[in-house]
Amino acid sequence: MNHKLIAPTPPLGWNSWDCYGAAVAEDEIRGNAEYMAAHLKGFGWSYITVDIQWYEPFANSSQYRPFVPLVMDEYSRLMPAENRFPSAAGGRGFKPLADYVHSLGLQFGIHIMRGIPRQAAHAATPIIGTAVTARDIAHTNSICPWNTDMYGVDASKEGAQSYYDSLFKLYAEWGVDLVKVDDIAASRLYDTHQPEITLISKAIERCGRPMVLSLSPGPAPVEYAEFFTEHANMWRVTDDFWDLWPLLLDMFDRCRKWQGVPHAGCWPDCDMLPLGHLGIRSVDGGGADRWTRFTRDEQLTMMSLWSIFRSPLIFGGELRDNDDWTLSLLTNREVLRMHRESHGAREALCQGDLIVWTAEHSDGTRYAAVFNVGENPLLLDLAIEQIGLTGITGGTELWSGAPAELKAGSLQATVPPHGVRLYRFF
């Protein structure tokens, strides 16, 4: 897989999970795509992704209904539930919806679970183009601990690759641009499912359409970094991330472990941005219908860390309800330029409540994200040389647009609790 051609910069997009759980409907996908086209496309945002269980007709929240009938074609492949996605009627699948998203100048993504539907295995339905059935390739001891839809696929069985090839051929026909595969990067019961990742990676290569491969959930083991960079474009470094300060604080440790790994086509993923209007039909994350529980300073901290680390930026809230503040977080051109074009991000300092990340740009610009993870304001008087920067003559704080206060080689600022000052130096 030539990752650099598929995801040369970290993807920017929207995913339905944080606001709609497993229960998103077609009109909500279309509405969020229309908002992105109108307000975000010009800033580089492009992916619209339908998250889990689009094949479950009566999904109603983020809590899965176990062992229920799923919509499936005659070849063991899950299909969109037509009551939720009316344009899928007549076996058209997601092609009409993908075509609409493409007509807006955007890209279309779907979520799938690792494996083959249990109902296909129980019914021994065929795998297209082969003499084997779903029962022949199902690994019935390889299950997801939190969802009953699938059995794993036994990669050693004849027909295993053919099954995944048939899936991704179908997705290519639909016009899918990104596939988020779940229960695969890490597992509560098993190790990383490397054999199935390899099958999926090969199926994408064969399908004739470039697709971003995103692996969930985390934490993906950092010792497998080389494997992930060879087979995928994005992989989660955390379990589901929600709008709670302890989870955000923990992300500093996760980013430190993965520093140096992000590069063209290969992006360790800090998970979605739980911003704006969340929990409309999702009760995951410890809160129902709400606006993000992060304070504004915490929102800036999250956006700054994700951006300087170069995680994919996938917005989780209902876009159409964004206020001016939330929109401003997604449309800061200088922050997005850092996210898109910088390199060499590293943790330059971790001292008490002060954490500093730095990065560089090929034009000579340097960046510094100065975080205060403590509970009190931090009066900063930091020697620039202490974070490995020299020859600085000036700078700008990117969220406020204010000039950096530089005196005698020191950076001076007041950083609020749980807050950040994000600088571009020249």
Side-chain angles (χ1 to χ4, degrees), residues 73 75 77 79 91-99 102 108 110 128 165-177 179 206-211:
D73 75 1
Y75 296 114
R77 301 177 298 189
M79 300 291 285
R92 291 177 292 177
F94 272 132
K95 183 169 179 15
L97 183 53
D99 286 348
H102 293 153
F108 181 70
I110 60 172
I128 192 168
D165 287 352
S166 76
L167 276 190
F168 282 86
K169 182 175 183 294
L170 179 66
Y171 302 157
E173 291 168 357
W174 288 349
V176 172
D177 303 297
V179 180
R206 293 175 171 182
C207 78
R209 182 180 180 86
M211 294 183 198

PDB file of all heavy atoms in Angstrom, residues 73 75 77 79 91-99 102 108 110 128 165-177 179 206-211:
ATOM      1  N   ASP A  73     -26.581  -9.320   2.296  1.00  0.00           N
ATOM      2  CA  ASP A  73     -26.869  -9.833   0.955  1.00  0.00           C
ATOM      3  C   ASP A  73     -26.652 -11.340   0.917  1.00  0.00           C
ATOM      4  O   ASP A  73     -26.335 -11.971   1.934  1.00  0.00           O
ATOM      5  CB  ASP A  73     -26.065  -9.085  -0.112  1.00  0.00           C
ATOM      6  CG  ASP A  73     -24.579  -9.465  -0.166  1.00  0.00           C
ATOM      7  OD1 ASP A  73     -24.125 -10.336   0.622  1.00  0.00           O
ATOM      8  OD2 ASP A  73     -23.856  -8.875  -0.996  1.00  0.00           O
ATOM      9  N   TYR A  75     -24.335 -12.995  -0.243  1.00  0.00           N
ATOM     10  CA  TYR A  75     -22.937 -13.412  -0.199  1.00  0.00           C
ATOM     11  C   TYR A  75     -22.259 -13.044   1.117  1.00  0.00           C
ATOM     12  O   TYR A  75     -21.063 -12.751   1.151  1.00  0.00           O
ATOM     13  CB  TYR A  75     -22.179 -12.812  -1.380  1.00  0.00           C
ATOM     14  CG  TYR A  75     -22.663 -13.314  -2.717  1.00  0.00           C
ATOM     15  CD1 TYR A  75     -23.279 -12.448  -3.614  1.00  0.00           C
ATOM     16  CD2 TYR A  75     -22.524 -14.657  -3.071  1.00  0.00           C
ATOM     17  CE1 TYR A  75     -23.725 -12.915  -4.846  1.00  0.00           C
ATOM     18  CE2 TYR A  75     -22.979 -15.126  -4.292  1.00  0.00           C
ATOM     19  CZ  TYR A  75     -23.581 -14.248  -5.175  1.00  0.00           C
ATOM     20  OH  TYR A  75     -24.023 -14.715  -6.391  1.00  0.00           O
ATOM     21  N   ARG A  77     -22.411 -10.459   3.034  1.00  0.00           N
ATOM     22  CA  ARG A  77     -21.945  -9.080   3.195  1.00  0.00           C
ATOM     23  C   ARG A  77     -23.059  -8.206   3.753  1.00  0.00           C
ATOM     24  O   ARG A  77     -24.185  -8.197   3.224  1.00  0.00           O
ATOM     25  CB  ARG A  77     -21.461  -8.526   1.851  1.00  0.00           C
ATOM     26  CG  ARG A  77     -20.326  -9.346   1.245  1.00  0.00           C
ATOM     27  CD  ARG A  77     -19.901  -8.845  -0.117  1.00  0.00           C
ATOM     28  NE  ARG A  77     -20.965  -8.930  -1.111  1.00  0.00           N
ATOM     29  CZ  ARG A  77     -20.792  -8.724  -2.421  1.00  0.00           C
ATOM     30  NH1 ARG A  77     -19.580  -8.406  -2.870  1.00  0.00           N
ATOM     31  NH2 ARG A  77     -21.798  -8.813  -3.264  1.00  0.00           N
ATOM     32  N   MET A  79     -25.372  -5.039   4.559  1.00  0.00           N
ATOM     33  CA  MET A  79     -25.892  -3.989   3.698  1.00  0.00           C
ATOM     34  C   MET A  79     -26.606  -2.935   4.549  1.00  0.00           C
ATOM     35  O   MET A  79     -27.104  -3.228   5.643  1.00  0.00           O
ATOM     36  CB  MET A  79     -26.874  -4.576   2.681  1.00  0.00           C
ATOM     37  CG  MET A  79     -26.279  -5.634   1.774  1.00  0.00           C
ATOM     38  SD  MET A  79     -25.065  -4.963   0.591  1.00  0.00           S
ATOM     39  CE  MET A  79     -26.167  -4.150  -0.564  1.00  0.00           C
ATOM     40  N   GLY A  91     -30.928  -2.786  -3.397  1.00  0.00           N
ATOM     41  CA  GLY A  91     -29.579  -3.341  -3.442  1.00  0.00           C
ATOM     42  C   GLY A  91     -28.508  -2.342  -3.834  1.00  0.00           C
ATOM     43  O   GLY A  91     -27.379  -2.735  -4.138  1.00  0.00           O
ATOM     44  N   ARG A  92     -28.829  -1.039  -3.803  1.00  0.00           N
ATOM     45  CA  ARG A  92     -27.853  -0.035  -4.222  1.00  0.00           C
ATOM     46  C   ARG A  92     -26.807   0.259  -3.160  1.00  0.00           C
ATOM     47  O   ARG A  92     -25.799   0.913  -3.433  1.00  0.00           O
ATOM     48  CB  ARG A  92     -28.568   1.254  -4.620  1.00  0.00           C
ATOM     49  CG  ARG A  92     -29.369   1.115  -5.908  1.00  0.00           C
ATOM     50  CD  ARG A  92     -30.123   2.392  -6.243  1.00  0.00           C
ATOM     51  NE  ARG A  92     -31.184   2.648  -5.271  1.00  0.00           N
ATOM     52  CZ  ARG A  92     -31.970   3.728  -5.293  1.00  0.00           C
ATOM     53  NH1 ARG A  92     -31.784   4.650  -6.233  1.00  0.00           N
ATOM     54  NH2 ARG A  92     -32.916   3.888  -4.388  1.00  0.00           N
ATOM     55  N   GLY A  93     -27.035  -0.229  -1.934  1.00  0.00           N
ATOM     56  CA  GLY A  93     -26.058  -0.024  -0.878  1.00  0.00           C
ATOM     57  C   GLY A  93     -25.824   1.445  -0.612  1.00  0.00           C
ATOM     58  O   GLY A  93     -26.732   2.285  -0.685  1.00  0.00           O
ATOM     59  N   PHE A  94     -24.566   1.781  -0.308  1.00  0.00           N
ATOM     60  CA  PHE A  94     -24.228   3.169   0.022  1.00  0.00           C
ATOM     61  C   PHE A  94     -23.854   4.000  -1.214  1.00  0.00           C
ATOM     62  O   PHE A  94     -23.460   5.154  -1.063  1.00  0.00           O
ATOM     63  CB  PHE A  94     -23.073   3.204   1.031  1.00  0.00           C
ATOM     64  CG  PHE A  94     -23.516   3.139   2.457  1.00  0.00           C
ATOM     65  CD1 PHE A  94     -22.911   2.262   3.345  1.00  0.00           C
ATOM     66  CD2 PHE A  94     -24.521   3.973   2.930  1.00  0.00           C
ATOM     67  CE1 PHE A  94     -23.308   2.216   4.681  1.00  0.00           C
ATOM     68  CE2 PHE A  94     -24.932   3.930   4.250  1.00  0.00           C
ATOM     69  CZ  PHE A  94     -24.326   3.054   5.130  1.00  0.00           C
ATOM     70  N   LYS A  95     -23.981   3.430  -2.429  1.00  0.00           N
ATOM     71  CA  LYS A  95     -23.551   4.201  -3.599  1.00  0.00           C
ATOM     72  C   LYS A  95     -24.297   5.534  -3.741  1.00  0.00           C
ATOM     73  O   LYS A  95     -23.657   6.579  -3.970  1.00  0.00           O
ATOM     74  CB  LYS A  95     -23.662   3.375  -4.865  1.00  0.00           C
ATOM     75  CG  LYS A  95     -23.142   4.131  -6.098  1.00  0.00           C
ATOM     76  CD  LYS A  95     -22.996   3.264  -7.307  1.00  0.00           C
ATOM     77  CE  LYS A  95     -22.507   4.009  -8.530  1.00  0.00           C
ATOM     78  NZ  LYS A  95     -21.929   5.334  -8.346  1.00  0.00           N
ATOM     79  N   PRO A  96     -25.621   5.586  -3.611  1.00  0.00           N
ATOM     80  CA  PRO A  96     -26.290   6.882  -3.759  1.00  0.00           C
ATOM     81  C   PRO A  96     -25.851   7.898  -2.709  1.00  0.00           C
ATOM     82  O   PRO A  96     -25.683   9.090  -3.015  1.00  0.00           O
ATOM     83  CB  PRO A  96     -27.779   6.536  -3.623  1.00  0.00           C
ATOM     84  CG  PRO A  96     -27.869   5.102  -4.022  1.00  0.00           C
ATOM     85  CD  PRO A  96     -26.604   4.480  -3.506  1.00  0.00           C
ATOM     86  N   LEU A  97     -25.653   7.450  -1.474  1.00  0.00           N
ATOM     87  CA  LEU A  97     -25.224   8.374  -0.423  1.00  0.00           C
ATOM     88  C   LEU A  97     -23.784   8.829  -0.670  1.00  0.00           C
ATOM     89  O   LEU A  97     -23.469  10.021  -0.537  1.00  0.00           O
ATOM     90  CB  LEU A  97     -25.351   7.708   0.948  1.00  0.00           C
ATOM     91  CG  LEU A  97     -24.999   8.573   2.161  1.00  0.00           C
ATOM     92  CD1 LEU A  97     -25.758   9.899   2.160  1.00  0.00           C
ATOM     93  CD2 LEU A  97     -25.250   7.808   3.456  1.00  0.00           C
ATOM     94  N   ALA A  98     -22.926   7.894  -1.057  1.00  0.00           N
ATOM     95  CA  ALA A  98     -21.543   8.271  -1.376  1.00  0.00           C
ATOM     96  C   ALA A  98     -21.512   9.236  -2.555  1.00  0.00           C
ATOM     97  O   ALA A  98     -20.753  10.217  -2.554  1.00  0.00           O
ATOM     98  CB  ALA A  98     -20.715   7.025  -1.681  1.00  0.00           C
ATOM     99  N   ASP A  99     -22.339   8.983  -3.556  1.00  0.00           N
ATOM    100  CA  ASP A  99     -22.395   9.887  -4.707  1.00  0.00           C
ATOM    101  C   ASP A  99     -22.793  11.292  -4.270  1.00  0.00           C
ATOM    102  O   ASP A  99     -22.252  12.288  -4.775  1.00  0.00           O
ATOM    103  CB  ASP A  99     -23.394   9.375  -5.743  1.00  0.00           C
ATOM    104  CG  ASP A  99     -22.884   8.172  -6.533  1.00  0.00           C
ATOM    105  OD1 ASP A  99     -21.674   7.865  -6.442  1.00  0.00           O
ATOM    106  OD2 ASP A  99     -23.702   7.539  -7.238  1.00  0.00           O
ATOM    107  N   HIS A 102     -19.873  12.893  -2.493  1.00  0.00           N
ATOM    108  CA  HIS A 102     -18.886  13.272  -3.507  1.00  0.00           C
ATOM    109  C   HIS A 102     -19.337  14.509  -4.280  1.00  0.00           C
ATOM    110  O   HIS A 102     -18.504  15.344  -4.660  1.00  0.00           O
ATOM    111  CB  HIS A 102     -18.644  12.118  -4.472  1.00  0.00           C
ATOM    112  CG  HIS A 102     -17.979  10.939  -3.844  1.00  0.00           C
ATOM    113  ND1 HIS A 102     -18.141   9.653  -4.309  1.00  0.00           N
ATOM    114  CD2 HIS A 102     -17.160  10.842  -2.768  1.00  0.00           C
ATOM    115  CE1 HIS A 102     -17.440   8.820  -3.563  1.00  0.00           C
ATOM    116  NE2 HIS A 102     -16.833   9.518  -2.618  1.00  0.00           N
ATOM    117  N   PHE A 108     -16.317   9.962   1.420  1.00  0.00           N
ATOM    118  CA  PHE A 108     -17.289   9.158   2.162  1.00  0.00           C
ATOM    119  C   PHE A 108     -16.609   7.991   2.861  1.00  0.00           C
ATOM    120  O   PHE A 108     -15.814   7.264   2.246  1.00  0.00           O
ATOM    121  CB  PHE A 108     -18.355   8.636   1.199  1.00  0.00           C
ATOM    122  CG  PHE A 108     -19.433   7.813   1.857  1.00  0.00           C
ATOM    123  CD1 PHE A 108     -20.356   8.405   2.697  1.00  0.00           C
ATOM    124  CD2 PHE A 108     -19.504   6.445   1.639  1.00  0.00           C
ATOM    125  CE1 PHE A 108     -21.357   7.649   3.302  1.00  0.00           C
ATOM    126  CE2 PHE A 108     -20.494   5.681   2.232  1.00  0.00           C
ATOM    127  CZ  PHE A 108     -21.426   6.293   3.069  1.00  0.00           C
ATOM    128  N   ILE A 110     -17.067   4.626   5.902  1.00  0.00           N
ATOM    129  CA  ILE A 110     -17.947   3.750   6.670  1.00  0.00           C
ATOM    130  C   ILE A 110     -17.147   3.036   7.753  1.00  0.00           C
ATOM    131  O   ILE A 110     -15.930   2.896   7.660  1.00  0.00           O
ATOM    132  CB  ILE A 110     -18.655   2.692   5.786  1.00  0.00           C
ATOM    133  CG1 ILE A 110     -17.636   1.783   5.077  1.00  0.00           C
ATOM    134  CG2 ILE A 110     -19.603   3.359   4.805  1.00  0.00           C
ATOM    135  CD1 ILE A 110     -18.280   0.606   4.363  1.00  0.00           C
ATOM    136  N   ILE A 128     -18.814 -15.035  -2.389  1.00  0.00           N
ATOM    137  CA  ILE A 128     -18.916 -14.879  -3.836  1.00  0.00           C
ATOM    138  C   ILE A 128     -17.615 -15.314  -4.524  1.00  0.00           C
ATOM    139  O   ILE A 128     -16.508 -15.049  -4.049  1.00  0.00           O
ATOM    140  CB  ILE A 128     -19.259 -13.407  -4.196  1.00  0.00           C
ATOM    141  CG1 ILE A 128     -19.667 -13.293  -5.665  1.00  0.00           C
ATOM    142  CG2 ILE A 128     -18.117 -12.460  -3.876  1.00  0.00           C
ATOM    143  CD1 ILE A 128     -20.278 -11.954  -6.023  1.00  0.00           C
ATOM    144  N   ASP A 165     -11.777  -9.679   0.085  1.00  0.00           N
ATOM    145  CA  ASP A 165     -11.727  -9.099  -1.263  1.00  0.00           C
ATOM    146  C   ASP A 165     -13.129  -8.733  -1.733  1.00  0.00           C
ATOM    147  O   ASP A 165     -13.337  -7.676  -2.351  1.00  0.00           O
ATOM    148  CB  ASP A 165     -11.095 -10.087  -2.244  1.00  0.00           C
ATOM    149  CG  ASP A 165      -9.595 -10.245  -2.063  1.00  0.00           C
ATOM    150  OD1 ASP A 165      -8.990  -9.471  -1.278  1.00  0.00           O
ATOM    151  OD2 ASP A 165      -9.017 -11.166  -2.691  1.00  0.00           O
ATOM    152  N   SER A 166     -14.100  -9.600  -1.460  1.00  0.00           N
ATOM    153  CA  SER A 166     -15.475  -9.335  -1.904  1.00  0.00           C
ATOM    154  C   SER A 166     -16.072  -8.133  -1.179  1.00  0.00           C
ATOM    155  O   SER A 166     -16.833  -7.354  -1.771  1.00  0.00           O
ATOM    156  CB  SER A 166     -16.354 -10.572  -1.698  1.00  0.00           C
ATOM    157  OG  SER A 166     -16.708 -10.761  -0.332  1.00  0.00           O
ATOM    158  N   LEU A 167     -15.728  -7.973   0.097  1.00  0.00           N
ATOM    159  CA  LEU A 167     -16.207  -6.809   0.841  1.00  0.00           C
ATOM    160  C   LEU A 167     -15.690  -5.519   0.228  1.00  0.00           C
ATOM    161  O   LEU A 167     -16.456  -4.581  -0.055  1.00  0.00           O
ATOM    162  CB  LEU A 167     -15.719  -6.875   2.295  1.00  0.00           C
ATOM    163  CG  LEU A 167     -16.480  -7.681   3.321  1.00  0.00           C
ATOM    164  CD1 LEU A 167     -15.931  -7.373   4.713  1.00  0.00           C
ATOM    165  CD2 LEU A 167     -17.965  -7.388   3.286  1.00  0.00           C
ATOM    166  N   PHE A 168     -14.393  -5.459   0.025  1.00  0.00           N
ATOM    167  CA  PHE A 168     -13.809  -4.196  -0.421  1.00  0.00           C
ATOM    168  C   PHE A 168     -14.077  -3.926  -1.902  1.00  0.00           C
ATOM    169  O   PHE A 168     -14.112  -2.767  -2.319  1.00  0.00           O
ATOM    170  CB  PHE A 168     -12.323  -4.147  -0.051  1.00  0.00           C
ATOM    171  CG  PHE A 168     -12.138  -3.831   1.409  1.00  0.00           C
ATOM    172  CD1 PHE A 168     -12.163  -4.835   2.365  1.00  0.00           C
ATOM    173  CD2 PHE A 168     -12.023  -2.520   1.836  1.00  0.00           C
ATOM    174  CE1 PHE A 168     -12.044  -4.542   3.723  1.00  0.00           C
ATOM    175  CE2 PHE A 168     -11.910  -2.208   3.185  1.00  0.00           C
ATOM    176  CZ  PHE A 168     -11.922  -3.224   4.131  1.00  0.00           C
ATOM    177  N   LYS A 169     -14.324  -4.964  -2.682  1.00  0.00           N
ATOM    178  CA  LYS A 169     -14.798  -4.750  -4.043  1.00  0.00           C
ATOM    179  C   LYS A 169     -16.165  -4.065  -4.005  1.00  0.00           C
ATOM    180  O   LYS A 169     -16.432  -3.133  -4.779  1.00  0.00           O
ATOM    181  CB  LYS A 169     -14.875  -6.077  -4.790  1.00  0.00           C
ATOM    182  CG  LYS A 169     -15.307  -5.953  -6.244  1.00  0.00           C
ATOM    183  CD  LYS A 169     -15.241  -7.301  -6.944  1.00  0.00           C
ATOM    184  CE  LYS A 169     -15.610  -7.184  -8.430  1.00  0.00           C
ATOM    185  NZ  LYS A 169     -17.010  -6.812  -8.641  1.00  0.00           N
ATOM    186  N   LEU A 170     -17.030  -4.518  -3.112  1.00  0.00           N
ATOM    187  CA  LEU A 170     -18.348  -3.897  -2.945  1.00  0.00           C
ATOM    188  C   LEU A 170     -18.207  -2.444  -2.503  1.00  0.00           C
ATOM    189  O   LEU A 170     -18.868  -1.544  -3.041  1.00  0.00           O
ATOM    190  CB  LEU A 170     -19.159  -4.697  -1.924  1.00  0.00           C
ATOM    191  CG  LEU A 170     -20.566  -4.174  -1.605  1.00  0.00           C
ATOM    192  CD1 LEU A 170     -21.467  -4.280  -2.825  1.00  0.00           C
ATOM    193  CD2 LEU A 170     -21.159  -4.950  -0.419  1.00  0.00           C
ATOM    194  N   TYR A 171     -17.321  -2.199  -1.526  1.00  0.00           N
ATOM    195  CA  TYR A 171     -17.146  -0.831  -1.031  1.00  0.00           C
ATOM    196  C   TYR A 171     -16.573   0.072  -2.126  1.00  0.00           C
ATOM    197  O   TYR A 171     -16.933   1.256  -2.218  1.00  0.00           O
ATOM    198  CB  TYR A 171     -16.235  -0.814   0.196  1.00  0.00           C
ATOM    199  CG  TYR A 171     -16.729  -1.659   1.353  1.00  0.00           C
ATOM    200  CD1 TYR A 171     -15.846  -2.139   2.330  1.00  0.00           C
ATOM    201  CD2 TYR A 171     -18.073  -2.009   1.469  1.00  0.00           C
ATOM    202  CE1 TYR A 171     -16.291  -2.922   3.373  1.00  0.00           C
ATOM    203  CE2 TYR A 171     -18.515  -2.803   2.520  1.00  0.00           C
ATOM    204  CZ  TYR A 171     -17.623  -3.254   3.464  1.00  0.00           C
ATOM    205  OH  TYR A 171     -18.058  -4.036   4.501  1.00  0.00           O
ATOM    206  N   ALA A 172     -15.705  -0.481  -2.968  1.00  0.00           N
ATOM    207  CA  ALA A 172     -15.178   0.297  -4.084  1.00  0.00           C
ATOM    208  C   ALA A 172     -16.297   0.652  -5.061  1.00  0.00           C
ATOM    209  O   ALA A 172     -16.359   1.788  -5.568  1.00  0.00           O
ATOM    210  CB  ALA A 172     -14.071  -0.485  -4.795  1.00  0.00           C
ATOM    211  N   GLU A 173     -17.198  -0.295  -5.292  1.00  0.00           N
ATOM    212  CA  GLU A 173     -18.341  -0.019  -6.174  1.00  0.00           C
ATOM    213  C   GLU A 173     -19.240   1.062  -5.581  1.00  0.00           C
ATOM    214  O   GLU A 173     -19.813   1.875  -6.315  1.00  0.00           O
ATOM    215  CB  GLU A 173     -19.135  -1.300  -6.412  1.00  0.00           C
ATOM    216  CG  GLU A 173     -18.382  -2.330  -7.251  1.00  0.00           C
ATOM    217  CD  GLU A 173     -19.042  -3.701  -7.229  1.00  0.00           C
ATOM    218  OE1 GLU A 173     -20.069  -3.870  -6.517  1.00  0.00           O
ATOM    219  OE2 GLU A 173     -18.538  -4.614  -7.922  1.00  0.00           O
ATOM    220  N   TRP A 174     -19.361   1.077  -4.274  1.00  0.00           N
ATOM    221  CA  TRP A 174     -20.162   2.118  -3.616  1.00  0.00           C
ATOM    222  C   TRP A 174     -19.493   3.494  -3.701  1.00  0.00           C
ATOM    223  O   TRP A 174     -20.176   4.507  -3.640  1.00  0.00           O
ATOM    224  CB  TRP A 174     -20.378   1.767  -2.147  1.00  0.00           C
ATOM    225  CG  TRP A 174     -21.322   0.641  -1.899  1.00  0.00           C
ATOM    226  CD1 TRP A 174     -22.153   0.033  -2.794  1.00  0.00           C
ATOM    227  CD2 TRP A 174     -21.544  -0.016  -0.637  1.00  0.00           C
ATOM    228  NE1 TRP A 174     -22.878  -0.968  -2.176  1.00  0.00           N
ATOM    229  CE2 TRP A 174     -22.516  -1.010  -0.852  1.00  0.00           C
ATOM    230  CE3 TRP A 174     -20.992   0.121   0.630  1.00  0.00           C
ATOM    231  CZ2 TRP A 174     -22.975  -1.851   0.167  1.00  0.00           C
ATOM    232  CZ3 TRP A 174     -21.440  -0.712   1.650  1.00  0.00           C
ATOM    233  CH2 TRP A 174     -22.421  -1.683   1.432  1.00  0.00           C
ATOM    234  N   GLY A 175     -18.155   3.512  -3.782  1.00  0.00           N
ATOM    235  CA  GLY A 175     -17.442   4.781  -3.772  1.00  0.00           C
ATOM    236  C   GLY A 175     -16.926   5.170  -2.404  1.00  0.00           C
ATOM    237  O   GLY A 175     -16.782   6.355  -2.095  1.00  0.00           O
ATOM    238  N   VAL A 176     -16.599   4.175  -1.595  1.00  0.00           N
ATOM    239  CA  VAL A 176     -16.093   4.432  -0.244  1.00  0.00           C
ATOM    240  C   VAL A 176     -14.645   4.917  -0.313  1.00  0.00           C
ATOM    241  O   VAL A 176     -13.825   4.378  -1.064  1.00  0.00           O
ATOM    242  CB  VAL A 176     -16.205   3.160   0.616  1.00  0.00           C
ATOM    243  CG1 VAL A 176     -15.509   3.331   1.957  1.00  0.00           C
ATOM    244  CG2 VAL A 176     -17.678   2.793   0.828  1.00  0.00           C
ATOM    245  N   ASP A 177     -14.329   5.938   0.499  1.00  0.00           N
ATOM    246  CA  ASP A 177     -12.984   6.524   0.520  1.00  0.00           C
ATOM    247  C   ASP A 177     -12.218   6.228   1.808  1.00  0.00           C
ATOM    248  O   ASP A 177     -10.998   6.413   1.852  1.00  0.00           O
ATOM    249  CB  ASP A 177     -13.077   8.047   0.372  1.00  0.00           C
ATOM    250  CG  ASP A 177     -13.796   8.452  -0.888  1.00  0.00           C
ATOM    251  OD1 ASP A 177     -13.297   8.135  -1.978  1.00  0.00           O
ATOM    252  OD2 ASP A 177     -14.877   9.077  -0.785  1.00  0.00           O
ATOM    253  N   VAL A 179     -12.358   3.438   5.365  1.00  0.00           N
ATOM    254  CA  VAL A 179     -12.987   2.353   6.118  1.00  0.00           C
ATOM    255  C   VAL A 179     -12.356   2.299   7.505  1.00  0.00           C
ATOM    256  O   VAL A 179     -11.148   2.122   7.640  1.00  0.00           O
ATOM    257  CB  VAL A 179     -12.855   0.992   5.418  1.00  0.00           C
ATOM    258  CG1 VAL A 179     -13.528  -0.103   6.249  1.00  0.00           C
ATOM    259  CG2 VAL A 179     -13.472   1.041   4.022  1.00  0.00           C
ATOM    260  N   ARG A 206      -6.255  -4.616  -3.694  1.00  0.00           N
ATOM    261  CA  ARG A 206      -6.823  -5.314  -4.846  1.00  0.00           C
ATOM    262  C   ARG A 206      -8.118  -4.694  -5.356  1.00  0.00           C
ATOM    263  O   ARG A 206      -8.571  -5.044  -6.452  1.00  0.00           O
ATOM    264  CB  ARG A 206      -7.100  -6.782  -4.469  1.00  0.00           C
ATOM    265  CG  ARG A 206      -5.861  -7.605  -4.197  1.00  0.00           C
ATOM    266  CD  ARG A 206      -6.251  -8.997  -3.719  1.00  0.00           C
ATOM    267  NE  ARG A 206      -5.111  -9.898  -3.647  1.00  0.00           N
ATOM    268  CZ  ARG A 206      -5.188 -11.184  -3.305  1.00  0.00           C
ATOM    269  NH1 ARG A 206      -6.383 -11.705  -3.004  1.00  0.00           N
ATOM    270  NH2 ARG A 206      -4.117 -11.940  -3.270  1.00  0.00           N
ATOM    271  N   CYS A 207      -8.740  -3.823  -4.577  1.00  0.00           N
ATOM    272  CA  CYS A 207     -10.115  -3.405  -4.894  1.00  0.00           C
ATOM    273  C   CYS A 207     -10.186  -2.358  -6.001  1.00  0.00           C
ATOM    274  O   CYS A 207     -11.267  -2.091  -6.536  1.00  0.00           O
ATOM    275  CB  CYS A 207     -10.830  -2.895  -3.640  1.00  0.00           C
ATOM    276  SG  CYS A 207     -10.395  -1.214  -3.144  1.00  0.00           S
ATOM    277  N   GLY A 208      -9.063  -1.747  -6.326  1.00  0.00           N
ATOM    278  CA  GLY A 208      -9.055  -0.793  -7.422  1.00  0.00           C
ATOM    279  C   GLY A 208      -9.449   0.622  -7.048  1.00  0.00           C
ATOM    280  O   GLY A 208      -9.590   1.478  -7.925  1.00  0.00           O
ATOM    281  N   ARG A 209      -9.628   0.892  -5.763  1.00  0.00           N
ATOM    282  CA  ARG A 209      -9.983   2.241  -5.331  1.00  0.00           C
ATOM    283  C   ARG A 209      -9.150   2.607  -4.107  1.00  0.00           C
ATOM    284  O   ARG A 209      -9.108   1.829  -3.137  1.00  0.00           O
ATOM    285  CB  ARG A 209     -11.467   2.332  -4.996  1.00  0.00           C
ATOM    286  CG  ARG A 209     -11.918   3.734  -4.591  1.00  0.00           C
ATOM    287  CD  ARG A 209     -13.397   3.785  -4.256  1.00  0.00           C
ATOM    288  NE  ARG A 209     -13.777   5.141  -3.873  1.00  0.00           N
ATOM    289  CZ  ARG A 209     -14.122   6.095  -4.734  1.00  0.00           C
ATOM    290  NH1 ARG A 209     -14.147   5.837  -6.037  1.00  0.00           N
ATOM    291  NH2 ARG A 209     -14.446   7.304  -4.312  1.00  0.00           N
ATOM    292  N   PRO A 210      -8.496   3.761  -4.086  1.00  0.00           N
ATOM    293  CA  PRO A 210      -7.772   4.159  -2.875  1.00  0.00           C
ATOM    294  C   PRO A 210      -8.735   4.325  -1.700  1.00  0.00           C
ATOM    295  O   PRO A 210      -9.792   4.945  -1.839  1.00  0.00           O
ATOM    296  CB  PRO A 210      -7.143   5.505  -3.257  1.00  0.00           C
ATOM    297  CG  PRO A 210      -7.200   5.567  -4.742  1.00  0.00           C
ATOM    298  CD  PRO A 210      -8.397   4.766  -5.156  1.00  0.00           C
ATOM    299  N   MET A 211      -8.391   3.760  -0.565  1.00  0.00           N
ATOM    300  CA  MET A 211      -9.193   3.907   0.655  1.00  0.00           C
ATOM    301  C   MET A 211      -8.269   4.100   1.844  1.00  0.00           C
ATOM    302  O   MET A 211      -7.280   3.371   1.983  1.00  0.00           O
ATOM    303  CB  MET A 211     -10.064   2.677   0.914  1.00  0.00           C
ATOM    304  CG  MET A 211     -11.149   2.420  -0.097  1.00  0.00           C
ATOM    305  SD  MET A 211     -12.142   0.983   0.391  1.00  0.00           S
ATOM    306  CE  MET A 211     -12.917   0.589  -1.185  1.00  0.00           C
TER     307      MET A 211
END
